[in-house]
Amino acid sequence: MSSSDIFLGETIGTAVLILLGGGVCAAVTLKGSKARNAGWLAITFGWGFAVMTAVYMTASLSGAHLNPAVTVGIAIKDGEWGNVPVYIAGQMLGAMIGAVLVWVAYYGQFQAHLADPEASGKKPIEGPGPVLGIFSTGPEIRNTWQNLATEIIGTVVLVLAVLTQGLNDSGKGLGVIGALITAFVVVSIGLSLGGPTGYAINPARDLGPRIVHALLPLPHKGTSDWSYSWIPVAGPLIGGAIAAGIYNIAFA
């Protein structure tokens, strides 16, 4: 795979991943959405299907890593780091594009949801606002070591599931069955381990949209919770490295 194919594939794939994954969060959250209050099951399956769709689209271009933790895990497993910056650059750009597309698709709903707090009798928003969860993750209970551990554990499961399929040995990325298995793994992680932090398990998925949240002209949006933002970046990267270590010890 050429560097241009990798960058293009990761950009397109991660944009689709965030468009559909962030889209289900918007659908469940925002006023004026037909899916509002559909619940956690809708979110977890929405993200799982988002992974499946993005992988199907772009596996032949880049191998469809779509996640810096997966890229780092594969690099540790194979000992090949040359294309890691290209993968991560495409993933970050794609994540930001996907987040902007969610905003465009739900523009009217964002406006309705973030109506003038004074006009609606609400106090001005302080701290993380009511739509940050559409773009990025956050903990239900703020406990640094637990939040970090949760992200590490979830990512170990994801990356080890990818590595043990042997889906990148051929250079053609995830196959049809592999994409489906990975999608169900993501659903399983969301259902079982997503409760504490919202299961970022992907640095680009969290950081790219968080940057977009900070930049978009969203009225009364609150902060982007930068004090927490390092956890869904560091946790998945650590988890990806641990998964690769487990693979090399137990499966190689």
Side-chain angles (χ1 to χ4, degrees):
M1 292 179 285
S2 68
S3 294
S4 59
D5 283 346
I6 290 171
F7 183 77
L8 186 62
E10 293 299 295
T11 299
I12 294 172
T14 312
V16 171
L17 170 66
I18 302 304
L19 171 61
L20 298 181
V24 71
C25 292
V28 171
T29 301
L30 295 176
K31 293 180 180 179
S33 166
K34 294 181 182 297
R36 192 178 186 208
N37 297 323
W40 191 244
L41 281 175
I43 290 174
T44 54
F45 277 93
W47 274 104
F49 292 143
V51 169
M52 184 179 65
T53 303
V55 168
Y56 281 156
M57 284 185 181
T58 60
S60 63
L61 277 176
S62 65
H65 295 187
L66 313 181
N67 182 342
V70 172
T71 298
V72 167
I74 291 172
I76 293 173
K77 167 182 171 284
D78 295 337
E80 297 179 3
W81 292 85
N83 286 318
V84 168
V86 180
Y87 272 101
I88 294 177
Q91 290 156 3
M92 283 297 298
L93 177 60
M96 295 178 71
I97 292 171
V100 171
L101 292 176
V102 172
W103 172 65
V104 171
Y106 281 89
Y107 179 80
Q109 282 73 24
F110 273 109
Q111 296 301 111
H113 201 82
L114 296 172
D116 185 350
E118 294 182 358
S120 62
K122 299 178 182 177
K123 296 180 179 180
I125 296 168
E126 298 178 359
V131 299
L132 179 59
I134 294 170
F135 294 91
S136 57
T137 62
E140 288 298 302
I141 297 174
R142 288 181 182 265
N143 183 310
T144 299
W145 75 263
Q146 181 204 343
N147 300 154
L148 184 63
T150 299
E151 288 295 328
I152 292 171
I153 293 167
T155 310
V156 168
V157 174
L158 171 64
V159 176
L160 193 57
V162 171
L163 295 180
T164 52
Q165 292 174 46
L167 297 171
N168 294 279
D169 293 342
S170 67
K172 296 180 180 179
L174 296 172
V176 173
I177 299 300
L180 185 60
I181 292 171
T182 303
F184 282 128
V185 169
V186 171
V187 172
S188 179
I189 293 169
L191 291 174
S192 301
L193 300 172
T197 63
Y199 74 117
I201 58 174
N202 182 337
R205 169 263 178 276
D206 195 273
L207 182 58
R210 194 182 298 268
I211 293 171
V212 170
H213 175 270
L215 296 176
L216 281 176
L218 296 166
H220 311 291
K221 64 183 177 181
T223 72
S224 299
D225 199 8
W226 291 109
S227 64
Y228 178 78
S229 64
W230 68 274
I231 289 177
V233 173
L237 291 176
I238 295 169
I242 292 173
I246 293 171
Y247 179 89
N248 286 337
I249 293 170
F251 297 97

